[in-house]
Amino acid sequence: MSRRSNGLAGIWAEAQRQQQRQREAQHRARVQQQREYERQQRAQEREAARMRREQQAAYRQHREADARRRTEELEARVAALQGLLAAGCRAPAFRTSALLRPEEIEPFSPGRLAHPVPLPDPNAYLPAQHGRLFGANRRAQAQQEAQARYERDRQAAQAAEAQRQRQLAAYRQQYDRWAEARLAEIRTHNAGVGELTASLGAGEPAAVVEYFSAALYASTAWPEELPRQLTAAYDPAARELVVDWELPPYDVVPEHKLVRYLPGSDRDKETPRPVTQRRALYRDVLAQCVLLVLRELFAADEAGVLESVALNGFVDDHDPATGRRARVVLATVMTTRAVFGDLHLEQVNPVDCLVDGLRGQLSARPDQRTAVRPGRRPGDVGEGVVTHGGDEEPDLHEMDPVAFEALVAELFRAMGMQAVTTRRTHDGGVDVAAVDPAPIRGGSIVVQVKRYRNTVPPSAVRDLYGTVQDAGANKGVLVTTSRFGPGSHTFANGKPLELVSGAELLDLLHRHGLRGRLGAGGASASGGPGVPGPRAAGDADATADADAAGGRSGAAAQPGGGGDPDPDAGTDHNVLGMSWAGSVALDTCALVCAGQRVLGDDWFVFFNNERTPDGSVRTVACSPPDKAAMRVAFDALPARADRLVLIAAVDPVAGPEADLSGFTDAGIRLLDPSGAELDRLEVSDGRAGETALVLGSFRRRANGDWHFVIGGKGYTGGLEALVQEYGIEVA
């Protein structure tokens, strides 16, 4: 007899089957997830491999393109060298008219100063009509208030217009002075060209050499990258110009002929140009250069002073025979105008033309600096040999001190004086002893040279004056590579002293055919103190007024104004908090100056003028322990300003009998815009009997930074006497 199941085993079995199915589903999901992950990984790897292939292809294309570009540059360079003579023959011939300067002056451009200040419209001040809301008395009062506002605005507009007219007149006067000086300079130059033309027509050797040297230097046919150094002399009897002209070195011909990229080793392979091919091309270039110089000389001879030219082409290199630096002559030729004029230069083979057609000589191995025997040299002519050009001009800052003294002595000799350098010991403070043979103004001169980078201190000028007196000389000259401060110029004024700054020294050197530059940049400034050029005045009326005022007070101002930024417009600034002991009532003031001269009346900040025209300097409320404060945006000060002078003066109203004896323990706190103290600057105490004192000055360095220099000079005549020394006219 069987037993019936109660169903519990079936339920348990079903539950087991459900769990088994869930485990299998989870396993399938994990397997599917793993397969999807692996699929994504493979896809990412394929994408990364594709990107690597694309990057490698792009990199290879870039390197191949760079190699092709370099090859094309080499080919273009060779093509330019091969076509040097043909291109030069197409250039226009030099003429004396090219030396003339057009008498053109930049027109007067006052900018905003040209526009009158508009007067207010009376109709804009009529009171509004509100019917019967106000009575007759209220309407009358409104009309009076409107009339008062109109009168106030009209007077302000009239005052602004009067100021504009003063500014415009001052700027016009300054422009007229500049234009007159500029025009006079141009006319003087053109008159010199006229004299040169006349002397050239007369066949004067100096004029002939000067003119043809200018023709070669100004030639548009001669490539800028090729050297331009010459020595020349003119023989008037034979009407022959003898020239030594520098030729390009061997490396002017590219060493390689093509560049290929090798992807296997990831490098560029430069294929060298065959030595025979490079030498042949170099000889061809030298022959073209010689023919081109001859073409430029004969083509420029509009006065007909050249019957023949003797030309020696040299390279400035080491002589293989001696190992010393020397001029190695690689080509030489002498030809007449008639013979050269029969040539068709654009069709000739340069080497054959020079050697066979003109019977010249050309080195067979110029790459090894094998020299040829030169023909006539400039020194064979006699006097009047002139040399121009050469290597990069020497940096005067880096010159050997002895060499620098020798250069200054050579300059004095070039100026027509007798000059020798002194011994290094027992020279009595004299570096160069010179004698000016000119009657009346001439005599003995002691020269000191200072290779300074910073401003020469006044003590050096005082020492020179003592040397002049001890030596019994007629004059002392201090030559420097830097500059002189106002103290030096003030001391030298009225004494037999002459101060030559670096810029003036360069101008003198270049004017007398000598060479030199200041600084590693190679810029060789010329001119020294000159006439400033005009610039637009339209950005700031007040700045133009300051310029004009600066011109009246003797500052080196330029016409117009540049529009200096307002420190309120996001410009960083500092606050100068001034404090002192004692109960004396003081006025603190500031002068924005160029040297010892204020830029103008508006750049004098005091109780009646609380800010400069551009707002870069202004009086502000002070916080304890300060008794006075000024806000200064140093970066916003005009570019022509090089110092900010701070002043303290007794208030004559509050203390008519007071002096600065009670001005002690004074100092200036330099604060940032948040009021945090950055530095504390000490100033001199006052002295009895003095009523005004220069506290000190912030001075702009060459790199644009500002540094504080303590003052201490006092005045018994009060603020009036002090500001007059800085160029302020006190009525």
Side-chain angles (χ1 to χ4, degrees), residues 486-672:
S488 297
H489 289 288
T490 301
F491 179 82
N493 186 31
K495 299 181 179 66
L497 301 177
E498 189 166 345
L499 308 182
V500 180
S501 67
E504 295 169 318
L505 173 60
L506 289 184
D507 180 56
L508 290 172
L509 289 173
H510 297 166
R511 195 182 303 172
H512 292 86
L514 301 175
R515 302 162 58 232
R517 60 183 174 87
L518 293 175
S524 49
S526 62
V531 182
R535 56 188 176 92
D539 293 334
D541 296 349
T543 308
D545 182 53
D547 283 337
R552 291 193 300 272
S553 62
Q558 292 180 340
D564 299 295
D566 191 327
D568 287 335
T571 305
D572 196 9
H573 65 273
N574 294 98
V575 175
L576 307 178
M578 290 166 272
S579 61
W580 57 88
S583 58
V584 58
L586 297 178
D587 291 320
T588 56
C589 316
L591 293 166
V592 181
C593 300
Q596 283 293 103
R597 311 296 290 182
V598 68
L599 299 187
D601 294 352
D602 289 343
W603 298 86
F604 173 31
V605 179
F606 66 116
F607 49 85
N608 276 338
N609 180 40
E610 296 183 347
R611 54 173 284 167
T612 57
D614 62 354
S616 57
V617 182
R618 61 178 66 184
T619 59
V620 294
C622 62
S623 301
D626 303 325
K627 295 183 178 181
M630 286 195 181
R631 171 177 165 171
V632 181
F634 287 99
D635 290 340
L637 286 168
R640 62 189 181 282
D642 61 8
R643 67 190 61 196
L644 173 69
V645 182
L646 302 178
I647 300 166
V650 173
D651 185 346
V653 177
E657 303 299 326
D659 61 13
L660 290 175
S661 57
F663 183 77
T664 58
D665 298 329
I668 300 174
R669 294 195 308 145
L670 181 64
L671 311 175
D672 67 10

Side-chain angles (χ1 to χ4, degrees), residues 268-543:
D268 289 335
K269 180 180 180 181
E270 298 175 326
T271 302
R273 192 177 304 277
V275 175
T276 55
Q277 182 186 111
R278 191 180 182 197
R279 182 189 305 136
L281 180 55
Y282 183 50
R283 293 187 78 234
D284 185 79
V285 170
L286 296 182
Q288 289 186 78
C289 290
V290 171
L291 296 175
L292 187 55
V293 171
L294 292 173
R295 183 260 179 190
E296 290 296 288
L297 292 174
F298 283 121
D301 185 21
E302 57 182 338
V305 296
L306 294 185
E307 180 62 32
S308 61
V309 172
L311 176 62
N312 305 299
F314 69 91
V315 290
D316 195 354
D317 206 337
H318 293 89
D319 189 334
T322 64
R324 293 193 297 268
R325 195 85 179 180
R327 290 184 171 185
V328 181
V329 178
L330 299 180
T332 183
V333 65
M334 194 284 292
T335 185
T336 64
R337 174 191 295 275
V339 171
F340 192 80
D342 289 337
L343 299 176
H344 297 279
L345 293 179
E346 295 188 48
Q347 284 79 38
V348 301
N349 178 289
V351 174
D352 293 342
C353 179
L354 176 62
V355 176
D356 299 330
L358 297 178
R359 303 299 179 185
Q361 299 181 57
L362 180 63
S363 173
R365 299 296 298 270
D367 53 314
Q368 297 183 4
R369 303 182 301 282
T370 302
V372 300
R373 183 180 298 277
R376 194 178 190 189
R377 305 298 296 272
D380 300 335
V381 176
E383 298 182 356
V385 179
V386 177
T387 300
H388 294 284
D391 295 334
E392 183 181 10
E393 296 192 336
D395 185 356
L396 302 185
H397 286 309
E398 304 299 333
M399 286 186 71
D400 178 80
V402 177
F404 183 55
E405 293 175 6
L407 177 63
V408 174
E410 186 178 359
L411 171 63
F412 275 76
R413 289 192 292 269
M415 296 170 66
M417 306 180 197
Q418 303 169 8
V420 294
T421 56
T422 59
R423 297 178 59 186
R424 301 300 296 171
T425 57
H426 309 297
D427 58 8
V430 180
D431 298 317
V432 176
V435 175
D436 186 352
I440 302 177
R441 65 175 176 83
S444 62
I445 303 173
V446 296
V447 184
Q448 289 183 353
V449 296
K450 305 290 185 184
R451 285 191 315 118
Y452 285 2
R453 292 183 182 271
N454 299 322
T455 302
V456 177
S459 58
V461 183
R462 291 193 291 269
D463 293 343
L464 173 62
Y465 185 54
T467 302
V468 172
Q469 292 178 317
D470 292 341
N474 297 83
K475 179 190 288 189
V477 180
L478 184 55
V479 180
T480 183
T481 54
S482 60
R483 66 198 69 83
F484 299 94
S488 297
H489 289 288
T490 301
F491 179 82
N493 186 31
K495 299 181 179 66
L497 301 177
E498 189 166 345
L499 308 182
V500 180
S501 67
E504 295 169 318
L505 173 60
L506 289 184
D507 180 56
L508 290 172
L509 289 173
H510 297 166
R511 195 182 303 172
H512 292 86
L514 301 175
R515 302 162 58 232
R517 60 183 174 87
L518 293 175
S524 49
S526 62
V531 182
R535 56 188 176 92
D539 293 334
D541 296 349
T543 308

